[in-house]
Each structure stands twice: as C-alpha cells, then as structure tokens.
Amino acid sequence: MIDDLTVTMPSDLEIKMVRVFDAPRTLVFEAHTKCEHLKHWWGRGNPLDCEVDLRPGGTYRFVEHAPDGETYAFHGEYREIQAPERIVQTFEFEGMPGHVCVETLELTEEQGRTTVTSVTRFDTKEERDGMASSGMADGAAESYRALAAYLATLS
C-alpha cells in the first residue's frame, strides 16, 4: 500500500489499484472526466494540457509538463461510459507507442465516500511488469493525493 492506494496484481496481465475518496461518486466521476478538474490533479499537480471527448468512441489526450521541462503525453479511446459508475478506456503513453492497455475504472459510493477501483489489462506479462517497475504506483499515488486535496476544495 502506498499512502491510501492499494496496488495488487490479480493476474499475469493486470494491475489493480484501489483508493477511497471523501467525496460523492458524481463529483469523483466528474473529476476523472472533465478537463476543468483533471488539470488540477491528473499530472500530480503539474501543468496539464487536456482534451476529452467523453462518449463511447471518443478520445482523450493529456500532456503533462514536468518541472524539469519534459513533457509526457498520453492518449486513449473511451470504449464504455456508464456515468457515474464505470469507464472503460484504452491508455497509451506516447513515449512508448504501440503499447496499448485497457483500463476499467469503477466507482462505488457508500456514506458519501467513493471507492475508485482501477484494473489495467496488458497484452503480455512483460508489459504489465514493465509498467509496474516504471514507478506507475508512485505516480498514481501522487496523482490520487492531488485528487484528494482538490476534492476537499470542492466540498
């Protein structure tokens, strides 16, 4: 566990992350799908260029501007959207083209708190292991810390 983020590998092709937020599901869903919110947390609080066409077949693209001057771009396509409870999308880091994974994000709410469960499925065990060793969990934990802080400002 990193901070409040639990990371597991339920199969040879998957990474699962679970985090609870002190905010209603509708707000957490919007924070994952609207650029006006994503810019505050997705890139761990770094400046972010954001494009979102939230519909099945629609696409998204994020470009994070790191403090060292580097940029990191990511994009994907929405496959399924069931607001405010589920998003299935592809995810590709543009620095490593051709390595596309599928992310399923599920949001459940209980007593005003929202649990976000993300399962990322890779084509091969090697791709999963490569992502796991890339510092992905630390980056996700940082982003989710930024999200928790941002959600607190909206309540």
Side-chain angles (χ1 to χ4, degrees), residues 22-54:
D22 288 319
R25 178 168 68 171
T26 302
L27 184 57
V28 176
F29 182 88
E30 286 183 7
H32 278 83
T33 57
K34 292 186 175 182
C35 288
E36 66 200 68
H37 298 306
L38 285 158
K39 289 180 176 187
H40 291 274
W41 70 271
W42 196 88
R44 300 176 312 280
N46 291 327
L48 187 75
D49 299 332
C50 178
E51 301 169 20
V52 170
D53 179 11
L54 187 66

Short mmCIF file of all heavy atoms in Angstrom, two decimals, residues 22-54:
data_model
loop_
_atom_site.label_atom_id
_atom_site.label_comp_id
_atom_site.label_asym_id
_atom_site.label_seq_id
_atom_site.Cartn_x
_atom_site.Cartn_y
_atom_site.Cartn_z
N ASP A 22 -12.97 10.99 0.09
CA ASP A 22 -14.03 11.60 0.90
C ASP A 22 -14.83 12.58 0.05
O ASP A 22 -14.80 13.79 0.28
CB ASP A 22 -13.43 12.32 2.11
CG ASP A 22 -12.91 11.34 3.15
OD1 ASP A 22 -13.59 10.32 3.39
OD2 ASP A 22 -11.83 11.59 3.70
N ALA A 23 -15.53 12.04 -0.93
CA ALA A 23 -16.34 12.86 -1.84
C ALA A 23 -17.39 11.97 -2.49
O ALA A 23 -17.17 10.76 -2.64
CB ALA A 23 -15.45 13.51 -2.91
N PRO A 24 -18.51 12.55 -2.89
CA PRO A 24 -19.56 11.76 -3.55
C PRO A 24 -19.11 11.26 -4.93
O PRO A 24 -18.28 11.89 -5.59
CB PRO A 24 -20.73 12.72 -3.66
CG PRO A 24 -20.19 14.08 -3.44
CD PRO A 24 -18.91 13.95 -2.69
N ARG A 25 -19.67 10.12 -5.32
CA ARG A 25 -19.28 9.47 -6.58
C ARG A 25 -19.45 10.39 -7.79
O ARG A 25 -18.59 10.41 -8.67
CB ARG A 25 -20.12 8.20 -6.75
CG ARG A 25 -19.84 7.49 -8.04
CD ARG A 25 -20.43 6.11 -8.09
NE ARG A 25 -21.88 6.16 -8.12
CZ ARG A 25 -22.62 5.09 -8.33
NH1 ARG A 25 -22.07 3.90 -8.51
NH2 ARG A 25 -23.94 5.19 -8.34
N THR A 26 -20.52 11.15 -7.84
CA THR A 26 -20.74 12.03 -9.00
C THR A 26 -19.58 13.01 -9.17
O THR A 26 -19.11 13.24 -10.28
CB THR A 26 -22.08 12.79 -8.86
OG1 THR A 26 -23.12 11.83 -8.72
CG2 THR A 26 -22.35 13.65 -10.06
N LEU A 27 -19.11 13.56 -8.06
CA LEU A 27 -18.01 14.52 -8.12
C LEU A 27 -16.69 13.83 -8.51
O LEU A 27 -15.93 14.36 -9.33
CB LEU A 27 -17.86 15.23 -6.78
CG LEU A 27 -16.80 16.34 -6.71
CD1 LEU A 27 -17.07 17.42 -7.75
CD2 LEU A 27 -16.78 16.94 -5.31
N VAL A 28 -16.45 12.65 -7.98
CA VAL A 28 -15.23 11.91 -8.32
C VAL A 28 -15.25 11.52 -9.80
O VAL A 28 -14.24 11.61 -10.50
CB VAL A 28 -15.04 10.68 -7.41
CG1 VAL A 28 -13.81 9.87 -7.83
CG2 VAL A 28 -14.92 11.12 -5.95
N PHE A 29 -16.42 11.13 -10.31
CA PHE A 29 -16.55 10.81 -11.73
C PHE A 29 -16.23 12.04 -12.59
O PHE A 29 -15.48 11.96 -13.56
CB PHE A 29 -17.96 10.29 -12.03
CG PHE A 29 -18.16 9.88 -13.47
CD1 PHE A 29 -17.85 8.60 -13.87
CD2 PHE A 29 -18.66 10.78 -14.41
CE1 PHE A 29 -18.03 8.21 -15.20
CE2 PHE A 29 -18.84 10.40 -15.72
CZ PHE A 29 -18.53 9.11 -16.12
N GLU A 30 -16.82 13.18 -12.22
CA GLU A 30 -16.55 14.41 -12.97
C GLU A 30 -15.07 14.77 -12.92
O GLU A 30 -14.50 15.25 -13.91
CB GLU A 30 -17.39 15.56 -12.44
CG GLU A 30 -18.85 15.47 -12.83
CD GLU A 30 -19.66 16.66 -12.36
OE1 GLU A 30 -19.08 17.64 -11.84
OE2 GLU A 30 -20.89 16.61 -12.52
N ALA A 31 -14.43 14.53 -11.79
CA ALA A 31 -13.00 14.84 -11.66
C ALA A 31 -12.16 13.97 -12.59
O ALA A 31 -11.06 14.37 -12.98
CB ALA A 31 -12.55 14.65 -10.21
N HIS A 32 -12.67 12.81 -12.97
CA HIS A 32 -11.97 11.92 -13.89
C HIS A 32 -12.30 12.19 -15.36
O HIS A 32 -11.65 11.62 -16.24
CB HIS A 32 -12.31 10.46 -13.58
CG HIS A 32 -11.53 9.88 -12.46
ND1 HIS A 32 -11.87 10.05 -11.14
CD2 HIS A 32 -10.39 9.13 -12.47
CE1 HIS A 32 -10.98 9.43 -10.39
NE2 HIS A 32 -10.08 8.87 -11.16
N THR A 33 -13.32 13.01 -15.62
CA THR A 33 -13.80 13.12 -17.00
C THR A 33 -13.89 14.53 -17.55
O THR A 33 -14.21 14.70 -18.72
CB THR A 33 -15.20 12.47 -17.12
OG1 THR A 33 -16.10 13.10 -16.19
CG2 THR A 33 -15.13 10.97 -16.83
N LYS A 34 -13.64 15.54 -16.74
CA LYS A 34 -13.74 16.92 -17.20
C LYS A 34 -12.40 17.62 -17.05
O LYS A 34 -11.80 17.63 -15.97
CB LYS A 34 -14.81 17.69 -16.41
CG LYS A 34 -16.22 17.19 -16.69
CD LYS A 34 -17.24 18.06 -16.00
CE LYS A 34 -18.65 17.60 -16.39
NZ LYS A 34 -19.66 18.46 -15.77
N CYS A 35 -11.95 18.24 -18.14
CA CYS A 35 -10.64 18.91 -18.13
C CYS A 35 -10.52 19.95 -17.03
O CYS A 35 -9.45 20.11 -16.43
CB CYS A 35 -10.35 19.54 -19.49
SG CYS A 35 -9.97 18.31 -20.77
N GLU A 36 -11.61 20.65 -16.73
CA GLU A 36 -11.55 21.69 -15.70
C GLU A 36 -11.13 21.10 -14.35
O GLU A 36 -10.56 21.80 -13.52
CB GLU A 36 -12.88 22.40 -15.58
CG GLU A 36 -13.99 21.48 -15.07
CD GLU A 36 -15.39 21.99 -15.37
OE1 GLU A 36 -15.76 22.02 -16.56
OE2 GLU A 36 -16.09 22.36 -14.41
N HIS A 37 -11.40 19.82 -14.13
CA HIS A 37 -10.99 19.13 -12.91
C HIS A 37 -9.67 18.38 -13.09
O HIS A 37 -8.80 18.43 -12.23
CB HIS A 37 -12.06 18.15 -12.45
CG HIS A 37 -13.37 18.78 -12.12
ND1 HIS A 37 -13.50 19.81 -11.21
CD2 HIS A 37 -14.62 18.52 -12.57
CE1 HIS A 37 -14.77 20.16 -11.13
NE2 HIS A 37 -15.47 19.40 -11.94
N LEU A 38 -9.53 17.67 -14.20
CA LEU A 38 -8.34 16.87 -14.46
C LEU A 38 -7.05 17.70 -14.36
O LEU A 38 -6.03 17.23 -13.86
CB LEU A 38 -8.42 16.23 -15.85
CG LEU A 38 -9.38 15.04 -15.96
CD1 LEU A 38 -9.80 14.83 -17.40
CD2 LEU A 38 -8.73 13.79 -15.39
N LYS A 39 -7.11 18.94 -14.81
CA LYS A 39 -5.93 19.80 -14.79
C LYS A 39 -5.39 20.04 -13.39
O LYS A 39 -4.23 20.38 -13.21
CB LYS A 39 -6.24 21.15 -15.45
CG LYS A 39 -6.42 21.06 -16.94
CD LYS A 39 -6.73 22.41 -17.54
CE LYS A 39 -6.82 22.32 -19.05
NZ LYS A 39 -6.96 23.62 -19.67
N HIS A 40 -6.23 19.83 -12.38
CA HIS A 40 -5.81 20.07 -11.00
C HIS A 40 -5.10 18.89 -10.36
O HIS A 40 -4.46 19.05 -9.32
CB HIS A 40 -7.02 20.45 -10.14
CG HIS A 40 -7.57 21.79 -10.47
ND1 HIS A 40 -7.09 22.95 -9.92
CD2 HIS A 40 -8.54 22.16 -11.34
CE1 HIS A 40 -7.75 23.97 -10.42
NE2 HIS A 40 -8.64 23.51 -11.28
N TRP A 41 -5.23 17.70 -10.94
CA TRP A 41 -4.68 16.54 -10.23
C TRP A 41 -4.02 15.49 -11.09
O TRP A 41 -3.12 14.80 -10.65
CB TRP A 41 -5.78 15.88 -9.39
CG TRP A 41 -6.83 15.17 -10.20
CD1 TRP A 41 -7.99 15.70 -10.70
CD2 TRP A 41 -6.83 13.81 -10.60
NE1 TRP A 41 -8.70 14.76 -11.37
CE2 TRP A 41 -8.01 13.57 -11.32
CE3 TRP A 41 -5.93 12.74 -10.40
CZ2 TRP A 41 -8.33 12.34 -11.87
CZ3 TRP A 41 -6.24 11.51 -10.94
CH2 TRP A 41 -7.43 11.32 -11.67
N TRP A 42 -4.42 15.33 -12.34
CA TRP A 42 -4.00 14.14 -13.09
C TRP A 42 -2.49 14.03 -13.22
O TRP A 42 -1.93 12.97 -13.02
CB TRP A 42 -4.67 14.11 -14.47
CG TRP A 42 -4.55 12.75 -15.09
CD1 TRP A 42 -5.40 11.71 -14.93
CD2 TRP A 42 -3.51 12.28 -15.94
NE1 TRP A 42 -4.95 10.61 -15.63
CE2 TRP A 42 -3.80 10.94 -16.27
CE3 TRP A 42 -2.36 12.86 -16.47
CZ2 TRP A 42 -2.98 10.17 -17.09
CZ3 TRP A 42 -1.54 12.09 -17.28
CH2 TRP A 42 -1.86 10.76 -17.59
N GLY A 43 -1.81 15.07 -13.53
CA GLY A 43 -0.36 15.05 -13.69
C GLY A 43 0.36 15.34 -12.40
O GLY A 43 1.37 16.02 -12.39
N ARG A 44 -0.20 14.84 -11.29
CA ARG A 44 0.37 15.06 -9.97
C ARG A 44 0.44 16.54 -9.63
O ARG A 44 1.30 16.97 -8.88
CB ARG A 44 1.75 14.39 -9.85
CG ARG A 44 1.69 12.89 -10.06
CD ARG A 44 3.04 12.23 -10.04
NE ARG A 44 4.07 12.86 -10.84
CZ ARG A 44 4.22 12.73 -12.15
NH1 ARG A 44 3.39 11.99 -12.82
NH2 ARG A 44 5.19 13.32 -12.79
N GLY A 45 -0.44 17.31 -10.25
CA GLY A 45 -0.47 18.73 -9.99
C GLY A 45 0.39 19.54 -10.94
O GLY A 45 0.39 20.77 -10.89
N ASN A 46 1.14 18.88 -11.83
CA ASN A 46 1.92 19.60 -12.85
C ASN A 46 0.97 20.17 -13.89
O ASN A 46 -0.13 19.66 -14.08
CB ASN A 46 2.93 18.66 -13.52
CG ASN A 46 4.03 18.23 -12.59
OD1 ASN A 46 4.45 18.97 -11.72
ND2 ASN A 46 4.52 17.01 -12.78
N PRO A 47 1.39 21.23 -14.60
CA PRO A 47 0.53 21.78 -15.66
C PRO A 47 0.16 20.68 -16.66
O PRO A 47 0.99 19.83 -17.00
CB PRO A 47 1.40 22.85 -16.30
CG PRO A 47 2.36 23.25 -15.22
CD PRO A 47 2.63 21.99 -14.44
N LEU A 48 -1.10 20.72 -17.11
CA LEU A 48 -1.63 19.66 -17.97
C LEU A 48 -2.45 20.26 -19.10
O LEU A 48 -3.35 21.05 -18.87
CB LEU A 48 -2.52 18.74 -17.13
CG LEU A 48 -3.04 17.48 -17.80
CD1 LEU A 48 -1.93 16.44 -17.93
CD2 LEU A 48 -4.20 16.89 -16.99
N ASP A 49 -2.09 19.87 -20.33
CA ASP A 49 -2.96 20.15 -21.48
C ASP A 49 -3.94 18.99 -21.55
O ASP A 49 -3.54 17.83 -21.39
CB ASP A 49 -2.16 20.21 -22.78
CG ASP A 49 -1.11 21.31 -22.78
OD1 ASP A 49 -1.32 22.33 -22.10
OD2 ASP A 49 -0.08 21.14 -23.45
N CYS A 50 -5.20 19.29 -21.80
CA CYS A 50 -6.23 18.26 -21.68
C CYS A 50 -7.25 18.39 -22.80
O CYS A 50 -7.75 19.48 -23.06
CB CYS A 50 -6.90 18.42 -20.31
SG CYS A 50 -8.24 17.28 -20.00
N GLU A 51 -7.56 17.27 -23.43
CA GLU A 51 -8.65 17.19 -24.42
C GLU A 51 -9.48 15.95 -24.07
O GLU A 51 -8.92 14.88 -23.90
CB GLU A 51 -8.09 17.03 -25.83
CG GLU A 51 -7.18 18.14 -26.29
CD GLU A 51 -6.45 17.78 -27.58
OE1 GLU A 51 -6.90 16.87 -28.31
OE2 GLU A 51 -5.42 18.41 -27.84
N VAL A 52 -10.79 16.11 -23.96
CA VAL A 52 -11.68 15.00 -23.63
C VAL A 52 -12.93 15.07 -24.50
O VAL A 52 -13.59 16.10 -24.55
CB VAL A 52 -12.09 15.03 -22.13
CG1 VAL A 52 -13.20 14.03 -21.86
CG2 VAL A 52 -10.90 14.76 -21.23
N ASP A 53 -13.22 13.97 -25.19
CA ASP A 53 -14.48 13.79 -25.92
C ASP A 53 -15.15 12.58 -25.29
O ASP A 53 -14.97 11.43 -25.71
CB ASP A 53 -14.19 13.56 -27.40
CG ASP A 53 -15.45 13.35 -28.22
OD1 ASP A 53 -16.56 13.58 -27.70
OD2 ASP A 53 -15.31 12.94 -29.39
N LEU A 54 -15.90 12.84 -24.21
CA LEU A 54 -16.43 11.78 -23.34
C LEU A 54 -17.67 11.14 -23.95
O LEU A 54 -18.80 11.56 -23.70
CB LEU A 54 -16.74 12.36 -21.95
CG LEU A 54 -17.15 11.34 -20.91
CD1 LEU A 54 -15.99 10.42 -20.58
CD2 LEU A 54 -17.65 12.03 -19.65
#
